[in-house]
Amino acid sequence: MKRFIQQQRSKKQLEGPLVKKGQAHAPAPASVVAYTSILFLLILLTTATISSLWSTLSSTNNKTTSIANQTIVAADALAKHSNNETNNTTSREKPKKRPFQFQATLNCRSIENKTCSTLYPKTTTTTFEVNEDVCPKYFRWIHEDLRPWKGSGVSRDIVERAKKTAHFRLVVKKGRVYVEKYRKSIQTRDVFTIWGIMQLVRRYPGMVPDLELMFDCDDQPVILARHYSSNLMAPPPLFRYCGDRWSHDIVFPDWSFWGWAEINIRPWEHVLKDIKEGNKRIKWNDREPFAYWKGNPFVADTRQDLLKCNASNELDWNARLFAQDWIQESQQGFKQSNVANQCTYRYKIYIEGFGWSVSEKYILACDSVTLLVKPRFHDFFIRSLQPLQHYWPIRDNDKCHSIKHAVDWGNIHMQQAQEIGRAGSNFIQEELKMDYVYDYMFHLLNEYAKLLKFEPMVPEGAVELCPEAMACTGSGLEKEFMTESMVKEPSTKVPCTLPPPFEPNSLRIFYGKKLNIIRRIEKWEDNYWKNRNQHLHTHR
């Protein structure tokens, strides 16, 4: 207060010039020093206020995306429109550069005498851009596959009941992956499935929620719906590669998306590019005008039945069918089994084996018309395809007549046939690329985690896994394919937006449309053979 009174008394002096014109600078009086101090404080307060206001305004320009009960800040990618009439385009801000939170390449030396926890310390918050892309339509089946648990949720008790046939339990806890193995799967199915989930966690660090699940790597679904028709007991949630209309198994992408080492099929991202290049080598019109199939006929009776449609001296059903001997092929270096080199026929046959077949995506990607023998099973993407748009349906109880008619029809209606082949191929190339495979995995696991009614725990005996712990202990093609398919850096965007569930009426319409198209084609086929037989009878 005393200082303030002194300042007021000297106010008149302060209002005058501090140095008279023509005079040398003299030491400033005490009152001048006081005035300068107050002025400096006012400047500091003003600067702080403006800085706070600017920070508040800047924060309102950020969007937030809620994923798995976590809020991830995403920088607003859209800049404001310029007021300049000559420049009415919208610019995008460059995304913030995020530091790597894991090693971009395998370092097998680093795993010696170390654990995954020391190799990969806990990560910090990651910034993602907003993704305005809506997921493909087949993502809607996620809601249908999880519908049995929508009302009751998933308790620990029913998870434990799924252990009966499971090959492993997988736990994601705070961004880390733990596995408890129960039994060995066929070949390396379990290994590459676990590897794939680990890559998902690397692709979206901090976004995959804590969860606990059981996985069965065998071919056929086992959770029969008829055993859980009442609401008294929910079925055990069991993940696997395929399902059918009579089961409640949860369908998940199969191991071959990260490579099938035993038969030298590279990771899907690479194979997809190879097939796309292979499609360019021979135009559809220049391809063999027959239906092609090559595979193992001994895994299912339906495949052995298909072999009866092969061309003979008496009959030609327009089919060219080949049995694949994988033992001999492996001994000869897999020279005759490259799927990218098999797009040389106008038509390719898809037929199931003991369960659904991995070959489905390779066949559909070929630009050829897929002749799809009536399936029992479905994988995670096939349910959204429509006959006569993406494929041509083939009867399973009269394959030869059905194939003969399909090929004859296509060779007459070549433009329409090419459009069917191209639509199926475009679906695979555009909607089944690895970006969407990972997004499907994320949304399926995220929706599943929301249903859990217990806190996921790492069981005793479970092993924490990281890329080095898996790939560095492997060898040959197994290690090579893991290296090829390893996620090198986090995604810059959040996953695509999950579409809503089917409305009950829309699902009925979807099934009705598919059934009507199949019946129409079967009617064409019946008329074709009726007219053909009448013609042959007339000319005898």
Side-chain angles (χ1 to χ4, degrees), residues 54-317:
W54 177 257
S55 176
T56 302
L57 290 172
S58 297
S59 66
T60 61
N61 288 331
N62 286 342
K63 297 179 181 179
T64 59
T65 304
S66 179
I67 302 291
N69 300 323
Q70 300 180 37
T71 300
I72 297 154
V73 178
D76 187 0
L78 296 176
K80 293 181 179 180
H81 283 284
S82 172
N83 291 327
N84 189 345
E85 294 181 358
T86 61
N87 183 16
N88 57 3
T89 59
T90 302
S91 61
R92 290 184 177 270
E93 297 176 1
K94 292 183 179 180
K96 295 179 180 179
K97 186 176 181 180
R98 296 174 294 109
F100 285 124
Q101 297 179 341
F102 47 72
Q103 295 180 170
T105 57
L106 283 174
N107 183 2
C108 291
R109 291 183 179 180
S110 66
I111 196 65
E112 297 175 4
N113 302 320
K114 292 185 179 181
T115 64
C116 293
S117 297
T118 56
L119 283 173
Y120 294 91
K122 292 183 178 180
T123 59
T124 56
T125 303
T126 303
T127 301
F128 294 91
E129 293 179 41
V130 170
N131 188 351
E132 297 179 355
D133 184 19
V134 177
C135 305
K137 293 180 180 179
Y138 64 85
F139 279 58
R140 302 179 79 177
W141 294 100
I142 290 174
H143 304 291
E144 298 304 312
D145 287 348
L146 296 177
R147 189 172 298 281
W149 301 275
K150 287 293 184 182
S152 62
V154 175
S155 66
R156 176 167 292 283
D157 176 62
I158 62 172
V159 170
E160 295 300 328
R161 285 195 281 117
K163 182 179 177 180
K164 182 178 179 181
T165 64
H167 287 88
F168 62 85
R169 180 200 305 263
L170 184 136
V171 179
V172 176
K173 189 75 173 179
K174 296 181 179 179
R176 298 180 181 277
V177 179
Y178 304 85
V179 172
E180 181 182 33
K181 288 194 175 184
Y182 302 125
R183 58 194 180 101
K184 186 71 181 71
S185 73
I186 299 172
Q187 298 178 335
T188 51
R189 292 183 180 188
D190 55 347
V191 173
F192 278 92
T193 301
I194 295 167
W195 176 262
I197 297 174
M198 186 187 304
Q199 302 318 302
L200 171 69
V201 173
R202 287 168 64 85
R203 180 179 174 87
Y204 295 121
M207 292 180 63
V208 179
D210 289 357
L211 57 87
E212 195 170 333
L213 61 82
M214 297 287 186
F215 207 107
D216 186 334
C217 301
D218 285 340
D219 289 309
Q220 294 189 354
V222 295
I223 309 299
L224 302 182
R226 67 173 182 266
H227 294 161
Y228 308 95
S229 56
S230 68
N231 294 326
L232 299 178
M233 182 182 298
L238 183 64
F239 287 73
R240 71 176 335 103
Y241 309 121
C242 74
D244 61 26
R245 58 185 295 188
W246 302 280
S247 66
H248 286 318
D249 298 65
I250 302 172
V251 183
F252 195 83
D254 70 82
W255 73 95
S256 67
F257 283 97
W258 297 273
W260 192 348
E262 287 80 7
I263 60 174
N264 194 35
I265 294 182
R266 297 176 69 196
W268 176 238
E269 186 172 9
H270 300 277
V271 173
L272 194 59
K273 293 178 182 177
D274 292 343
I275 293 177
K276 190 173 184 178
E277 291 302 313
N279 287 341
K280 299 176 182 178
R281 295 183 196 132
I282 305 178
K283 294 181 179 180
W284 193 90
N285 287 352
D286 298 330
R287 297 182 182 186
E288 295 287 339
F290 305 107
Y292 171 89
W293 180 81
K294 188 174 187 178
N296 182 358
F298 305 110
V299 295
D301 291 341
T302 185
R303 288 191 174 186
Q304 295 189 44
D305 184 53
L306 174 66
L307 291 183
K308 298 175 183 177
C309 305
N310 230 335
S312 66
N313 294 330
E314 293 79 22
L315 292 171
D316 188 350
W317 298 105

Side-chain angles (χ1 to χ4, degrees), residues 406-420:
V407 172
D408 283 350
W409 183 93
N411 288 337
I412 294 172
H413 305 85
M414 294 179 64
Q415 181 62 35
Q416 291 171 266
Q418 288 183 69
E419 290 174 358
I420 295 172

Side-chain angles (χ1 to χ4, degrees), residues 362-478:
Y362 308 116
I363 291 171
L364 280 162
C366 241
D367 269 358
S368 304
V369 180
T370 297
L371 306 185
L372 195 147
V373 179
K374 183 180 179 180
R376 170 187 168 183
F377 306 101
H378 59 254
D379 58 19
F380 72 100
F381 68 86
I382 194 66
R383 286 172 283 185
S384 287
L385 300 189
Q386 282 283 13
L388 214 56
Q389 179 183 349
H390 301 101
Y391 66 90
W392 184 282
I394 299 296
R395 285 171 163 156
D396 61 337
N397 58 355
D398 194 2
K399 300 178 183 69
C400 300
H401 286 88
S402 198
I403 291 171
K404 170 71 173 174
H405 166 251
V407 172
D408 283 350
W409 183 93
N411 288 337
I412 294 172
H413 305 85
M414 294 179 64
Q415 181 62 35
Q416 291 171 266
Q418 288 183 69
E419 290 174 358
I420 295 172
R422 194 176 300 116
S425 182
N426 287 343
F427 172 86
I428 297 297
Q429 292 284 347
E430 299 300 325
E431 300 191 25
L432 200 64
K433 53 189 177 182
M434 279 307 297
D435 289 345
Y436 284 136
V437 174
Y438 280 124
D439 284 3
Y440 188 94
M441 294 164 61
F442 171 80
H443 282 301
L444 176 59
L445 295 180
N446 190 49
E447 295 300 310
Y448 169 77
K450 292 177 183 178
L451 299 172
L452 298 183
K453 298 171 66 177
F454 62 93
E455 178 68 23
M457 300 295 293
V458 180
E460 291 186 15
V463 177
E464 183 181 2
L465 294 178
C466 56
E468 283 75 12
M470 293 189 71
C472 294
T473 57
S475 61
L477 291 178
E478 182 178 336

